[in-house]
Amino acid sequence: QVELVESGGGSVQAGGSLRLSCVASGYTGRRLWMGWFRQAVGKEREGVATIGPDGTTITSYADSVKGRFTISKDNAKNTLYLQMNSLKPEDTAMYYCAADRRGYNVDWYVRSADFDYRGQGTQVTVSS
C-alpha cells in the first residue's frame, strides 16, 4: 500500500509559478513509478508527468506541459515535486499525485493516467 499526500496548490495569475509536493508513505521501495495527473471540471483525467523508479532519472511529460513543468523526486524525503512555470488558465484543474508498481513505460503512464495509487488532490487555479 502507498499513501500519498499532496500540497502546494493555490491560485495564481497566468504566467506565474507553483510547486506541488507529494509525500509518500507505506511502500516507498525502489520499484515505484510516480507521477502527476490532473482533472478539470467536466473533463477527462489527463496525465501530466511521470518519473521512473529509484535509480533512474527517466521522465515523461504531456505535450501540453513540456518546457513549462518539471517533475522531480527527493528519494531521501520520499517526496515528489512538480514545478509548474508559465502557468496558463487551461492548467486549472485538480492535480493528483500518483504511484504505481506495475512497471510500465513512463510514456504509458502519461498517456493513460492509470496509476494504482493516488492522493486526495490539490487544486490549481490559474486566472487570466
Side-chain angles (χ1 to χ4, degrees), residues 12-84:
V12 65
Q13 290 192 326
S17 298
L18 284 172
R19 187 176 81 155
L20 306 183
S21 300
C22 170
V23 178
S25 60
Y27 176 82
T28 56
R30 292 179 62 84
R31 286 190 58 81
L32 193 66
W33 281 252
M34 298 190 73
W36 297 89
F37 67 87
R38 64 188 182 187
Q39 189 162 21
V41 175
K43 294 189 176 181
E44 292 187 356
R45 180 185 299 190
E46 177 189 21
V48 174
T50 303
I51 189 166
D54 289 3
T56 75
T57 56
I58 189 168
T59 58
S60 181
Y61 295 91
D63 288 343
S64 58
V65 307
K66 278 181 183 176
R68 299 187 299 123
F69 291 12
T70 302
I71 188 171
S72 62
K73 187 170 58 172
D74 184 330
N75 294 324
K77 296 181 179 179
N78 292 327
T79 301
L80 181 73
Y81 301 101
L82 184 68
Q83 178 66 44
M84 305 186 294

Side-chain angles (χ1 to χ4, degrees), residues 57-120:
T57 56
I58 189 168
T59 58
S60 181
Y61 295 91
D63 288 343
S64 58
V65 307
K66 278 181 183 176
R68 299 187 299 123
F69 291 12
T70 302
I71 188 171
S72 62
K73 187 170 58 172
D74 184 330
N75 294 324
K77 296 181 179 179
N78 292 327
T79 301
L80 181 73
Y81 301 101
L82 184 68
Q83 178 66 44
M84 305 186 294
N85 298 329
S86 302
L87 283 161
K88 304 176 181 180
E90 51 264 44
D91 293 318
T92 295
M94 185 72 79
Y95 282 71
Y96 296 89
C97 174
D100 196 273
R101 297 175 60 181
R102 292 172 289 175
Y104 294 126
N105 182 280
V106 288
D107 294 332
W108 182 88
Y109 286 113
V110 171
R111 289 196 305 270
S112 69
D114 181 5
F115 295 83
D116 280 344
Y117 307 98
R118 74 173 204 185
Q120 81 286 353

